[in-house]
């Protein structure tokens, strides 16, 4: 938790959830009239987008990360895809993107390489699930107020494409490089 951005994110999440609980409490005690209902809907959508990512990250890390088969062909990144990611200039912006703990991807030994690959794959899976789960906010919002459907669509697209797509691209870009290092290491062992 050395990263200031992560600490700020945690504080923001706590404040957002407290505001959400305060809004629910006020709504129950005083009724959900305007502008409280608008604030409530806004907080529901924000809290959903933030909290669903935290929950998915925890569940995947806790229950599935160790069961991943890092040798599976479905996780291999081909040269063609790597060239596409290179055209997107992932190399130049990937280190500027926020990560919870970048040290989990550092490699200095074969054991670190296996750990980094496992973390890389699980991080991609987390962001793919979050990308899809972000669109469920549209249904949640429409259940509360159907007239504002376009806001839910907009926030779902923004959240998914700004918060989840870049990390997916970064993980795939880095995995190609990790797999090349692993292949070289395995050839050197022969």
């Amino acid at each position: 938790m050395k990263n200031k951005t992560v600490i700020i994110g945690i504080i923001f999440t706590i404040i957002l959830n407290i505001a959400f609980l305060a809004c629910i409490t006020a709504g129950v005690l005083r009724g959900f009239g305007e502008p409280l209902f608008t604030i409530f809907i806004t907080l529901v959508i924000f809290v959903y987008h933030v909290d669903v990512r935290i929950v998915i990250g925890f569940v995947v890390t806790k229950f599935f990360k160790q069961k991943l088969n890092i040798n599976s062909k479905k996780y291999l990144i081909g040269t063609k895809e790597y060239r596409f990611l290179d055209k997107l200039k992932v190399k130049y912006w990937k280190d500027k993107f926020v990560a919870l703990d970048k040290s989990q991807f550092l490699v200095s030994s074969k054991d670190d390489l296996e750990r980094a690959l496992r973390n890389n794959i699980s991080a991609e899976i987390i962001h793919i699930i979050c990308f899809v789960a972000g669109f469920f906010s549209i249904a949640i919002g429409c259940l509360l107020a159907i007239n504002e459907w376009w806001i839910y669509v907009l926030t779902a697209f923004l959240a998914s494409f700004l918060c989840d797509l870049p990390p997916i691209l970064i993980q795939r870009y880095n995995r190609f490089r990790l797999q090349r290092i692993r292949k070289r290491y395995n050839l050197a062992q022969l």
Side-chain angles (χ1 to χ4, degrees):
M1 296 280 194
K2 302 168 198 163
N3 192 337
K4 273 185 178 178
T5 309
V6 171
I7 293 169
I8 291 169
I10 291 169
I11 291 169
F12 173 74
T13 302
I14 292 169
I15 291 170
L16 193 61
N17 279 282
I18 290 171
F20 176 65
L21 292 174
C23 187
I24 288 175
T25 304
V28 168
L29 295 176
R30 300 178 63 197
F32 281 104
E34 289 298 331
L36 187 59
F37 187 66
T38 303
I39 294 168
F40 171 73
I41 292 173
T42 304
L43 287 172
V44 165
I45 299 301
F46 272 102
V47 167
Y48 173 81
H49 281 295
V50 172
D51 290 357
V52 78
R53 284 163 174 76
I54 293 169
V55 170
I56 290 169
F58 174 78
V59 169
V60 170
T61 302
K62 185 80 173 161
F63 299 108
F64 299 110
K65 186 165 116 176
Q66 294 307 318
K67 296 175 185 172
L68 280 175
N69 178 5
I70 62 173
N71 299 312
S72 174
K73 290 187 180 204
K74 64 183 168 189
Y75 300 125
L76 288 176
I77 306 299
T79 307
K80 200 175 198 179
E81 183 179 353
Y82 181 75
R83 277 194 235 123
F84 172 74
L85 294 168
D86 206 38
K87 284 182 183 177
L88 293 177
K89 307 277 189 223
V90 174
K91 176 181 180 178
Y92 299 106
W93 53 263
K94 70 182 183 80
D95 292 328
K96 294 176 178 80
F97 207 83
V98 177
L100 187 61
D101 181 10
K102 290 185 181 186
S103 68
Q104 65 183 330
F105 304 109
L106 298 177
V107 177
S108 60
S109 69
K110 186 177 187 321
D111 290 337
D112 287 347
L113 182 59
E114 301 291 321
R115 179 188 47 78
L117 271 167
R118 187 172 303 286
N119 289 336
N120 175 283
I121 293 166
S122 64
E124 180 186 354
I125 291 168
I126 288 167
H127 285 287
I128 289 170
I129 295 169
C130 289
F131 185 91
V132 173
F135 290 99
F136 285 105
S137 66
I138 298 169
I140 293 168
C142 286
L143 287 174
L144 296 171
I146 191 99
N147 297 343
E148 308 299 333
W149 65 268
W150 63 274
I151 294 173
Y152 314 129
V153 171
L154 181 66
T155 57
F157 271 93
L158 286 175
S160 291
F161 281 91
L162 294 178
C163 297
D164 296 313
L165 186 60
I168 292 168
L169 298 175
I170 291 167
Q171 297 309 328
R172 296 188 73 77
Y173 179 84
N174 288 338
R175 186 166 339 118
F176 179 82
R177 296 168 61 219
L178 289 170
Q179 288 169 340
R180 278 191 14 213
I181 293 168
R182 186 175 191 220
K183 188 175 183 180
R184 268 188 260 139
Y185 186 82
N186 288 339
L187 288 174
Q189 295 293 329
L190 296 175

